[in-house]
Amino acid sequence: MNRIKIIIIIMVVAALSLVIMPAAQGAGIAQEAPTITVVTPAAGVAGIPVSIQGSGFGPLQGLISKITFNGVDAGQAIYWSDALIWVIVPATATTGPVVVTTLLEASNPVQFTILEQPPAIPSYFAEGTTRSGFEEWLTLYNPFDVQVTATVTYLIADAANRIRYYNVPAHARVNIYVNSEIGSDHDVSVSVTASERLFVERPMYFNYKNKWSGGHTTQPALATSNTWYFAEGTTRSGFEEWLCMGNPGITDANVNVTYIFSDGNSVTLPYTVPAFKRHTIDVNATIGPEADVALKVESDQPLVAERPMYFNYRSNWNDGSITLGARAPATTWYFAEGTTRSGFEEWLCLANPQTEDATVHVTYHKAGAEDSDQYIDVPAGRRRTIDVNAVLGPEVDAAVKIDSDKAIIAERPMYFNYQNKWNGGHVSIGTNSTAGNWYLAEGTTRSGFEEWICLLNPGELEAAIHVEYSFQDGSTQDQDLLLMPDQRFSILVNGVVGTGKDVAVKIESDQGIIAERSMYFSYHEAWDGGSNAIGCVPPD
């Protein structure tokens, strides 16, 4: 009994010593009273990240230190150091003082103004890297009449997260070179919030492992989700597949990934994606070689998922492609782009995650010709691949509509030797519905780039379409055209706006249409390939 009392006394003394010892000897305890010098920005909406600069915060947040917004505890900070804190403005915060409280005392108050929630759209990207051989960009597009301030949070896998602020003038497009913002050799996910509505894309160019060069881009997720689906995927010879998951939330995500094979077999494996971080899965290493595979991602916390692939198609055309996942299966899918011209090979990948077989009707809207139809069954728990060249024959430009009696997932991979000068491939997830407004943040007609916009009018009425091209200096150029029912049309942007311009695009139509952008390039006159992205439609 005496030994137990002695142990308890020693534990109490040790605990007290952590409180009264000099700060330099106690991890996580501030060495001086906390002082705030500036909060950036000084005003914003709930849910945005802010930086708090000053001194005496201590090296760690620990269990005692906290940040409050007019008395509302902000919880766990994104980043905490003695002179800098990054934290999310809590949902219930009101206008008033920001205060940092440590074990020693509370800091001086600094006023923060809570703004009325604007119609802002968050944008999330799971993939991103500044490793050797990769160059990553963000393109920010503001199609409206007032300047927009964007807050970009870089969720770095192996280092402290970083937050940056960028002003985007009215009707302008701004380029951000991510390698310069976060340094080299980092894997990174990105979240973007804005004071008003803003449209974002993430182009990447690469020399992958010094063997396959090219580039890809994707639209962002406009919301996180607990489920993500991918129809395409392969670990065949000459293909390397990855799954990237970004968690912008404050809680670690427990994730199950189900790998769905063409023969009906599947395997589910668990993963953890830490809060405010990203996680990458090497699919080839996970499931082995020579497998065609669809993916289902299920998480107990909302996150975002993308699937990059790098390849040497038929041991001849090397590049990389990427797509955002679909949040849910659907019975209708559209694709505006598609061709079987010389030097192009087009595929459709259909995945059925349901427990019942799906009967699928594929309508090919051929440019300047009658539609063609195809019917295919996709068994429950399997994926099917359609060779579009074999279905349509050569030299056909065709958009696609897919109707299924069961909810499925659809993607469209394409591989090419573009005009016998640039080879590679790109892929896109389909979209579930038509819209009257589409936005494309990326685009350029610089030397070594050729940009196309593909439009589909699947309706029964003629569509009057207005295209606004926005440039970096805030100037714009307009184009008007008519698109007949059940037709697709391609715009060579270089031929419309001229060469040497970075350009974002807004497309408006009096009928529901579909819009995509394909680009073919030789980046730095060294890395050739192509990329594709479906247009962005803002939520209602």
Side-chain angles (χ1 to χ4, degrees):
M1 180 64 69
N2 289 336
R3 290 181 61 190
I4 295 175
K5 290 181 179 179
I6 292 171
I7 292 172
I8 292 174
I9 292 171
I10 292 173
M11 292 174 63
V12 171
V13 171
L16 289 173
S17 68
L18 287 175
V19 176
I20 63 176
M21 71 170 57
Q25 301 177 33
I29 299 176
Q31 299 185 27
E32 58 184 276
T35 300
I36 299 176
T37 56
V38 63
V39 176
T40 306
V45 299
I48 70 165
V50 300
S51 67
I52 303 172
Q53 294 175 270
S55 61
F57 302 146
L60 299 171
Q61 182 173 9
L63 299 177
I64 298 175
S65 299
K66 64 180 180 179
I67 311 104
T68 56
F69 287 75
N70 202 22
V72 178
D73 192 339
Q76 186 68 35
I78 301 173
Y79 174 80
W80 188 295
S81 70
D82 191 62
L84 176 64
I85 297 170
W86 291 333
V87 68
I88 301 295
V89 179
T92 57
T94 56
T95 296
V98 174
V99 175
V100 176
T101 302
T102 67
L103 181 63
L104 295 183
E105 59 181 286
S107 73
N108 58 303
V110 173
Q111 187 76 358
F112 185 86
T113 302
I114 298 293
L115 302 177
E116 183 179 350
Q117 186 72 34
I121 301 175
S123 299
Y124 303 98
F125 297 97
E127 165 65 319
T129 189
T130 62
R131 293 189 187 195
S132 177
F134 281 82
E135 296 191 11
E136 179 179 355
W137 299 82
L138 290 175
T139 55
L140 310 179
Y141 171 39
N142 173 15
F144 302 105
D145 295 331
V146 296
Q147 178 173 284
V148 173
T149 298
T151 301
V152 179
T153 304
Y154 298 97
L155 307 176
I156 303 173
D158 59 348
N161 296 334
R162 300 183 187 181
I163 299 175
R164 297 288 186 268
Y165 302 94
Y166 308 97
N167 291 325
V168 186
H171 297 282
R173 127 100 183 261
V174 170
N175 300 331
I176 300 169
Y177 185 40
V178 177
N179 295 54
S180 294
E181 297 298 288
I182 68 171
S184 59
D185 294 318
H186 294 301
D187 292 338
V188 60
S189 293
V190 173
S191 67
V192 181
T193 56
S195 56
E196 297 290 344
R197 184 169 289 162
L198 193 69
F199 299 93
V200 190
E201 291 186 47
R202 186 212 56 235
M204 293 175 62
Y205 302 93
F206 48 79
N207 183 12
Y208 179 77
K209 296 183 177 180
N210 289 316
K211 59 181 181 180
W212 304 329
S213 64
H216 52 56
T217 189
T218 187
Q219 291 287 1
L222 300 185
T224 54
S225 177
N226 294 88
T227 56
W228 293 96
Y229 296 84
F230 299 89
E232 163 67 321
T234 188
T235 62
R236 294 188 188 192
S237 177
F239 283 81
E240 297 187 12
E241 178 180 354
W242 303 83
L243 177 64
C244 300
M245 297 177 287
N247 178 8
I250 62 174
T251 304
D252 291 354
N254 298 305
V255 181
N256 286 325
V257 177
T258 301
Y259 301 87
I260 304 169
F261 303 103
S262 297
D263 61 4
N265 291 320
S266 65
V267 61
T268 300
L269 298 175
Y271 303 91
T272 299
V273 184
F276 295 116
K277 293 294 180 181
R278 63 161 275 180
H279 181 74
T280 304
I281 299 172
D282 181 344
V283 177
N284 291 56
T286 302
I287 66 173
E290 301 303 321
D292 292 338
V293 62
L295 302 175
K296 179 181 180 181
V297 179
E298 300 173 288
S299 173
D300 66 350
Q301 302 296 323
L303 45 69
V304 60
E306 296 178 41
R307 188 211 58 237
M309 293 174 62
Y310 302 91
F311 51 80
N312 188 15
Y313 182 74
R314 300 194 190 280
S315 301
N316 196 27
W317 301 341
N318 66 85
D319 196 356
S321 64
I322 195 166
T323 188
L324 177 71
R327 286 196 291 270
T331 56
T332 301
W333 295 93
Y334 294 94
F335 300 92
E337 167 68 307
T339 188
T340 64
R341 293 189 187 194
S342 176
F344 281 82
E345 297 188 13
E346 179 183 354
W347 304 83
L348 290 173
C349 296
L350 310 177
N352 179 7
Q354 312 297 343
T355 57
E356 296 181 292
D357 295 351
T359 299
V360 178
H361 174 206
V362 182
T363 303
Y364 298 96
H365 296 284
K366 296 184 289 187
E370 294 291 327
D371 293 349
S372 293
D373 298 294
Q374 180 187 14
Y375 295 88
I376 183 172
D377 291 328
V378 184
R382 298 195 183 192
R383 60 161 274 184
R384 286 288 182 264
T385 304
I386 299 173
D387 181 348
V388 177
N389 291 57
V391 174
L392 296 182
E395 303 302 321
V396 177
D397 292 339
V400 171
K401 181 185 179 186
I402 296 171
D403 294 293
S404 175
D405 65 346
K406 302 291 187 300
I408 62 171
I409 308 296
E411 292 184 46
R412 186 211 57 235
M414 294 176 63
Y415 303 93
F416 50 79
N417 182 11
Y418 179 77
Q419 298 182 0
N420 289 315
K421 57 183 180 181
W422 305 325
N423 64 73
H426 52 59
V427 70
S428 180
I429 194 79
T431 186
N432 303 134
S433 60
T434 61
N437 294 291
W438 294 87
Y439 298 86
L440 293 157
E442 167 63 330
T444 188
T445 64
R446 294 188 188 193
S447 176
F449 283 80
E450 295 188 11
E451 177 182 354
W452 296 83
I453 294 174
C454 299
L455 305 174
L456 165 65
N457 176 10
E460 298 179 352
L461 299 176
E462 182 180 78
I465 297 173
H466 177 75
V467 184
E468 180 183 271
Y469 301 93
S470 294
F471 307 105
Q472 285 186 286
D473 61 2
S475 64
T476 62
Q477 180 177 335
D478 296 326
Q479 180 185 17
D480 293 291
L481 56 95
L482 297 175
L483 186 56
M484 300 301 291
D486 288 326
Q487 287 294 305
R488 64 152 277 179
F489 183 74
S490 299
I491 302 171
L492 176 58
V493 177
N494 298 55
V496 176
V497 305
T499 59
K501 296 181 179 180
D502 291 341
V503 57
V505 176
K506 176 174 69 174
I507 301 166
E508 299 172 302
S509 173
D510 65 350
Q511 303 294 322
I513 62 170
I514 306 295
E516 290 185 50
R517 183 205 61 245
S518 294
M519 293 174 60
Y520 304 93
F521 51 79
S522 179
Y523 183 74
H524 291 327
E525 298 183 351
W527 302 343
D528 67 298
S531 65
N532 174 271
I534 194 79
C536 182
V537 177
D540 295 332

